[in-house]
Amino acid sequence: MGEVILEMRGITKEFPGVKALNQVHFAVRRGEVHALIGENGAGKSTLMKILTGIYKPTAGELIYKGKPFFPNDPKHAQTEGISIIHQELNLLNDLDVAENIYISREPRKYKNVLIDDKRMHESAGKLLKRLGLDIDPYEKVRNLSVAQKQMIEIAKALSVDSEVLILDEPTSALSEKEVQVLFGIIRKLREENVAIVYISHRLEEFDQIVDWVTVLRDGSYVDSCSWKEQTIDNLVKQMVGREITEQFPKRHAKIGEVVFEAKDITQKRLLKKVSIQVRAGEVVGLAGLVGAGRTELARAIFGADHIESGEFLLGEKSVKIRCPDDAIRSGIVYLPEDRKKDGVFLDQSVAMNITIANLRAYAKNGVIREGAYQEAIQEKIQDLRIKTPSVSQLAQFLSGGNQQKVLIARWLCRNANVIIFDEPTRGIDVGAKYEVYSLINRVAENGAAVIMISSDMAEILGMSDRIVVMCEGKVTGELNGAEATQEAVLHMASDTNKDMRKVV
Amino acid sequence: MDSISDDRQQRITVLAALIILCIVFSVGSRYFLTVDNILLTLYQTAVTGITSYGILFVIITQAVDLSLGSTIAVGGCICAALLTKGVPAFVAVGTALICGAAIGIVNGFCVAKMKLPPFVATLGMQMVLRGLVLVATNAKPIYLTEGNFKQFAQYKLFDLIQLPVIYLILLGLFSWFILRKMVIGRHLFAVGSNEGAARLSGIKVDRVRMFAYGYCGVMAVFAGCVLTARVNSGQPTIAVGYEANAIAACVIGGASMSGGKGTIGGTILGAIIMGVLLNGLNLLSISSNWQTVATGAVVIGAVYLDRMRHLKES
């Protein structure tokens, strides 16, 4: 590990009514992987936004390469060598790999008039090779996997000679194998003396790459130390400010009859005769790699996407589901994977977000009865312990965990009997995760059937009564939750054993 | 940041602008701050105001209706044509309103079901409707020689307040009630805020869009009937470009072209600002051609401010 390349001293950031950061200290050395951890709302993103010039700090200073540094905007930060790769990827699907890497900095020819296409693709090829990636620079980004897209983002950052590279939750959408490729690249960059800021909730992965770790809590600096000197338990305690005794709460649900069954669901190329059933009080974990068709199955069940063939049964009765409204009326609800895009109304109030799917219940002849409406909101906010200064707060100002709780509240209002959670804890901090698990348990205990899609292996193993594994649009296996092992699930998820196995 | 205080701040800015405008004009013309002129301004504001309620519904769903002006002309001419056939006034207006709803629903169908961009679909409708009304009337006005329909716009309550001002207030309250108190109102905001999430919340997005356009059509036709009564004839060439005034009123009042945002209170204020501006320019004897220039500039300015607000938020 080299000298300190970047130091943030006494950083304070105030927003109207909130102190997002309070006297935070953060220093990164060359050639180190420095993990920045903390619950959602702890201030990690705000700190990084200051570092990349999106926000101006209220107080404090940045020292970069020994000199005070005030980034004006992300472009300025980037030309100085500080790049960030956001959780949401910013690539243009219709351009090819090289065009994406060199966008707005394309190499020129003929007195800067024309883009030197050949040179651009050659240097992109070299860059990809340097990262050990087997991707054609002429490939359209649309055709790449999520993991490959992420690698392209990294290549893009390196093409401007980044000396500090910030990775925000890079592994949340990756499969185990893809995570390993990413870590390989991170190690390579570390050898090249790049300073890497690594934001992640997945502490169990840290052993493989992290050198140093800084903990934030509620906008304040808590601790910074070498990863080797720390235990995960201790870090979690520092993050949440209290001890978490168990990762997954116990569930006392009685498993009953089959409530819902999907039979031979087929959707163009994405789903091939998929069948799944869930019982009352049961949590079925739906495992698989990214692109296995799990979300597609959930959306098909919910009527969000059209299916070619297949049948849905509620109890014994066949139901037609053509749109989400049909599904909701039948008591089937879906919490989407991408909360911001498909779930939350960011520029609307918490009250609106909670009640929007159930307004008719508080209305008479289409007119909302204010009393019943307010009562329902208050009840849900208290019941789910949603942290918000008021019911009129806009949803965009809530943390990820609280946004997820708002979505759960929306569906609890409906008393659904089949609930599909798609990556319920993605991007949510440890403390809020536990609460989400408790809520999942609670709906199961109340007799609802739960399907939980997750790429988090611990979550699948820890929460499921039964695990259904998908691979390439097919169900490739089923395991009893109590007996399942990570190896068995992974085996089925990568479909290495071709014969279909059925337990249960 | 709280949404309510944000709205309030916006409202205060607009009020301040209105007051400044009034001060400038009252300095420029002694007649400006008289009761007669204030009532006249409100009377002239009525058409802009009523149409802006309608287009506000559409704007909240993150869409736009450029066929508004043509719809006004179509509605006004249908009403006039029926009146010349001796149809009772309420039947004539009622029929015209139903036609307005139908026009809106066709707009909504193009946008929601055919997936056309709102701008293109309603621009097309603007020309189709204008063309149709010119064909149907042979491009000649339909004069109301008999009957007393002009009272629909010219009757003065207490010998003072003209009926359109009353319509402006009542329809404002009605629209406010739908937006704030009814389920469909919340659904409008949901669709405009995040269409995908609205769909996944079980909202029938297509129906909501068609409702918004239908409401807009009804308001436009109502304004058309008021205009017909005002000039005592159905004018096929009337109300060209009125959509710009209505959009400006909404955006000045805090509605966002990015959808999910807008209030009736703000929209009324916006409409009054547009009305005061035109009235003041009139009093200062500035030609109506320059007034058109001013309206266009205000539209661009207001939408620009909206974009800036939006950029600042995200």
Side-chain angles (χ1 to χ4, degrees):
Chain A
M1 259 175 279
E3 88 268 27
V4 171
I5 177 168
L6 172 83
E7 196 176 354
M8 302 177 82
R9 286 186 193 152
I11 300 289
T12 298
K13 175 69 189 172
E14 285 170 12
F15 292 108
V18 207
K19 203 170 214 178
L21 290 175
N22 186 11
Q23 294 282 331
V24 171
H25 184 85
F26 183 65
V28 203
R29 279 180 283 264
R30 287 184 193 274
E32 95 176 337
V33 177
H34 192 137
L36 181 61
I37 62 171
E39 291 192 293
N40 278 348
K44 295 167 302 197
S45 313
T46 312
L47 191 67
M48 291 305 110
K49 281 179 179 165
I50 287 172
L51 183 50
T52 49
I54 296 172
Y55 293 152
K56 302 263 169 294
T58 315
E61 56 178 350
L62 266 74
I63 312 286
Y64 180 56
K65 295 188 197 165
K67 278 188 231 122
F69 173 60
F70 302 98
N72 299 321
D73 54 56
K75 185 135 198 182
H76 178 210
Q78 198 174 44
T79 47
E80 294 294 325
I82 301 174
S83 293
I84 183 160
I85 294 167
H86 292 281
Q87 211 171 341
E88 297 89 17
L89 302 175
N90 293 313
L91 294 174
L92 302 168
N93 274 325
D94 294 313
L95 299 186
D96 72 24
V97 168
E99 285 163 342
N100 263 288
I101 291 175
Y102 288 104
I103 189 132
S104 84
R105 296 174 290 107
E106 298 89 350
R108 302 299 178 93
K109 61 181 176 186
Y110 300 128
K111 299 193 187 299
N112 283 338
V113 174
L114 296 180
I115 289 174
D116 191 343
D117 226 38
K118 200 166 147 233
R119 194 147 60 90
M120 179 166 79
H121 285 86
E122 272 172 12
S123 44
K126 266 185 228 153
L127 196 61
L128 294 170
K129 203 176 259 170
R130 175 178 148 207
L131 290 172
L133 293 172
D134 184 27
I135 300 173
D136 181 1
Y138 285 97
E139 186 70 54
K140 287 264 182 290
V141 162
R142 181 178 300 290
N143 304 331
L144 301 181
S145 70
V146 178
Q148 286 175 317
K149 286 181 188 175
Q150 202 150 32
M151 308 299 172
I152 299 305
E153 285 272 17
I154 294 176
K156 192 170 149 186
L158 293 178
S159 71
V160 287
D161 292 320
S162 296
E163 294 178 77
V164 176
L165 183 63
I166 305 159
L167 297 163
D168 190 359
E169 292 277 356
T171 62
S172 61
L174 302 189
S175 71
E176 195 59 34
K177 214 171 109 197
E178 292 164 334
V179 168
Q180 288 314 320
V181 177
L182 175 73
F183 285 174
I185 290 173
I186 293 178
R187 284 189 201 104
K188 215 172 259 171
L189 295 177
R190 175 164 61 189
E191 279 159 32
E192 291 175 18
N193 241 349
V194 176
I196 292 152
V197 180
Y198 186 79
I199 301 175
S200 175
H201 290 297
R202 294 196 172 178
L203 301 182
E204 64 277 7
E205 292 170 349
F206 281 19
D207 256 341
Q208 302 181 51
I209 47 161
V210 169
D211 303 306
W212 203 267
V213 55
T214 292
V215 185
L216 298 183
R217 184 173 72 228
D218 297 332
S220 300
Y221 169 86
V222 179
D223 192 17
S224 191
C225 63
S226 161
W227 169 255
K228 295 207 173 58
E229 295 164 15
Q230 274 287 10
T231 63
I232 289 188
D233 285 347
N234 194 26
L235 281 173
V236 169
K237 207 159 64 185
Q238 286 184 339
M239 275 161 67
V240 297
R242 65 195 138 89
E243 218 149 339
I244 289 195
T245 42
E246 49 184 351
Q247 204 182 348
F248 301 102
K250 284 250 174 334
R251 181 166 61 239
H252 310 280
K254 235 177 66 204
I255 296 178
E257 294 298 305
V258 172
V259 178
F260 174 79
E261 188 174 356
K263 261 191 189 162
D264 297 333
I265 305 303
T266 301
Q267 193 183 59
K268 216 192 288 166
R269 287 196 312 262
L270 297 169
L271 297 171
K272 296 157 197 158
K273 280 185 171 285
V274 178
S275 298
I276 189 169
Q277 46 173 248
V278 243
R279 294 160 194 280
E282 185 185 38
V283 176
V284 174
L286 194 50
L289 305 176
V290 170
R294 296 169 300 164
T295 296
E296 287 76 6
L297 176 63
R299 288 179 60 95
I301 292 173
F302 192 56
D305 293 327
H306 178 74
I307 58 167
E308 261 90 56
S309 65
E311 190 183 12
F312 302 113
L313 297 167
L314 268 179
E316 312 259 281
K317 236 178 63 206
S318 172
V319 283
K320 284 253 179 308
I321 299 174
R322 286 187 212 87
C323 63
D325 190 46
D326 290 345
I328 295 165
R329 279 171 201 276
S330 312
I332 302 167
V333 303
Y334 170 64
L335 280 96
E337 173 184 17
D338 191 336
R339 275 192 297 280
K340 290 207 168 110
K341 187 167 143 273
D342 299 325
V344 182
F345 299 94
L346 288 169
D347 57 359
Q348 304 291 325
S349 68
V350 170
M352 184 275 198
N353 269 284
I354 291 176
T355 54
I356 190 68
N358 201 30
L359 286 172
R360 299 206 191 281
Y362 320 118
K364 208 173 150 186
N365 300 327
V367 180
I368 295 163
R369 288 172 299 153
E370 209 57 37
Y373 173 74
Q374 293 296 346
E375 203 176 301
I377 296 161
Q378 286 304 338
E379 186 208 310
K380 287 292 173 262
I381 287 181
Q382 273 157 23
D383 187 21
L384 272 66
R385 287 191 280 146
I386 297 169
K387 258 196 255 171
T388 174
S390 82
V391 296
S392 56
Q393 175 81 326
L394 301 187
Q396 59 189 321
F397 298 114
L398 298 189
S399 69
N402 279 303
Q403 286 178 353
Q404 182 71 300
K405 284 202 231 167
V406 164
L407 289 186
I408 296 176
R410 184 185 294 170
W411 294 125
L412 286 183
C413 285
R414 292 291 309 204
N415 294 318
N417 42 26
V418 180
I419 304 184
I420 309 169
F421 290 92
D422 197 348
E423 304 286 357
T425 63
R426 171 169 296 170
I428 287 181
D429 51 76
V430 185
K433 261 187 191 176
Y434 189 83
E435 286 186 82
V436 169
Y437 295 142
S438 304
L439 287 169
I440 293 176
N441 284 351
R442 202 172 89 188
V443 295
E445 281 161 6
N446 289 339
V450 175
I451 298 175
M452 186 190 75
I453 299 173
S454 177
S455 298
D456 183 336
M457 191 58 84
E459 189 169 290
I460 283 279
L461 295 173
M463 286 294 291
S464 312
D465 294 311
R466 196 150 53 87
I467 299 167
V468 173
V469 188
M470 287 184 71
C471 177
E472 290 171 0
K474 284 185 298 232
V475 171
T476 48
E478 204 169 301
L479 296 159
N480 186 314
E483 296 160 11
T485 62
Q486 186 166 345
E487 288 70 31
V489 174
L490 278 176
H491 230 62
M492 292 174 172
S494 45
D495 208 10
T496 42
N497 58 341
K498 289 288 175 195
D499 58 323
M500 293 269 280
R501 251 198 318 179
K502 274 239 167 182
V503 194
V504 180
Chain B
M1 217 190 306
D2 206 285
S3 61
I4 289 168
S5 69
D6 202 33
D7 278 355
R8 191 169 301 159
Q9 197 188 339
Q10 157 85 14
R11 205 76 57 80
I12 290 167
T13 317
V14 174
L15 259 179
L18 181 58
I19 291 167
I20 291 170
L21 214 53
C22 288
I23 292 173
V24 170
F25 286 137
S26 51
V27 169
S29 161
R30 255 185 304 167
Y31 181 65
F32 182 77
L33 271 185
T34 58
V35 174
D36 274 356
N37 187 53
I38 290 171
L39 284 171
L40 177 71
T41 308
L42 281 177
Y43 174 65
Q44 289 168 336
T45 298
V47 166
T48 306
I50 291 166
T51 51
S52 64
Y53 299 151
I55 213 166
L56 177 67
F57 279 38
V58 176
I59 289 175
I60 287 173
T61 63
Q62 204 183 10
V64 75
D65 184 358
L66 298 181
S67 70
L68 188 80
S70 302
T71 311
I72 293 173
V74 169
C77 286
I78 289 175
C79 179
L82 289 173
L83 287 167
T84 55
K85 297 260 158 20
V87 173
F90 70 93
V91 178
V93 173
T95 311
L97 291 179
I98 291 169
C99 293
I103 290 170
I105 288 169
V106 172
N107 270 328
F109 186 87
C110 292
V111 171
K113 298 281 186 193
M114 291 165 69
K115 310 286 176 211
L116 299 180
F119 178 82
V120 177
T122 60
L123 187 64
M125 275 297 273
Q126 180 192 79
M127 302 184 70
V128 168
L129 293 172
R130 184 66 69 181
L132 282 177
V133 74
L134 289 171
V135 169
T137 59
N138 234 338
K140 292 194 182 77
I142 307 166
Y143 292 107
L144 299 178
T145 43
E146 287 162 50
N148 218 0
F149 187 67
K150 64 179 182 208
Q151 295 297 351
F152 184 66
Q154 296 175 12
Y155 178 79
K156 286 184 176 175
L157 208 62
F158 313 121
D159 231 2
L160 184 72
I161 304 165
Q162 279 153 315
L163 279 181
V165 180
I166 307 294
Y167 303 147
L168 179 70
I169 295 165
L170 289 181
L171 290 173
L173 287 173
F174 182 63
S175 304
W176 173 84
F177 186 79
I178 296 178
L179 272 190
R180 285 289 145 196
K181 295 289 166 191
M182 292 190 68
V183 172
I184 183 72
R186 308 287 164 99
H187 285 180
L188 290 171
F189 283 98
V191 168
S193 165
N194 186 342
E195 180 170 345
R199 207 165 99 80
L200 291 182
S201 302
I203 293 170
K204 299 222 158 103
V205 172
D206 296 353
R207 284 192 204 171
V208 173
R209 287 198 178 286
M210 285 195 254
F211 168 79
Y213 276 109
Y215 191 80
C216 186
V218 169
M219 288 295 130
V221 166
F222 191 89
C225 294
V226 170
L227 277 177
T228 293
R230 238 166 80 173
V231 296
N232 209 19
S233 60
Q235 299 279 354
T237 53
I238 207 168
V240 172
Y242 274 28
E243 53 276 349
N245 299 42
I247 293 169
C250 294
V251 176
I252 292 170
S256 168
M257 296 307 284
S258 321
K261 207 161 168 270
T263 61
I264 290 291
T267 301
I268 295 183
L269 269 181
I272 291 176
I273 285 200
M274 296 302 289
V276 166
L277 184 68
L278 295 186
N279 173 267
L281 294 176
N282 254 333
L283 291 181
L284 300 181
S285 328
I286 289 165
S287 87
S288 70
N289 295 337
W290 279 113
Q291 290 176 21
T292 308
V293 174
T295 309
V298 169
V299 172
I300 292 172
V303 176
Y304 172 71
L305 288 179
D306 165 50
R307 296 311 303 175
M308 288 299 103
R309 267 202 312 262
H310 195 70
L311 284 178
K312 223 169 74 185
E313 271 167 26
S314 56

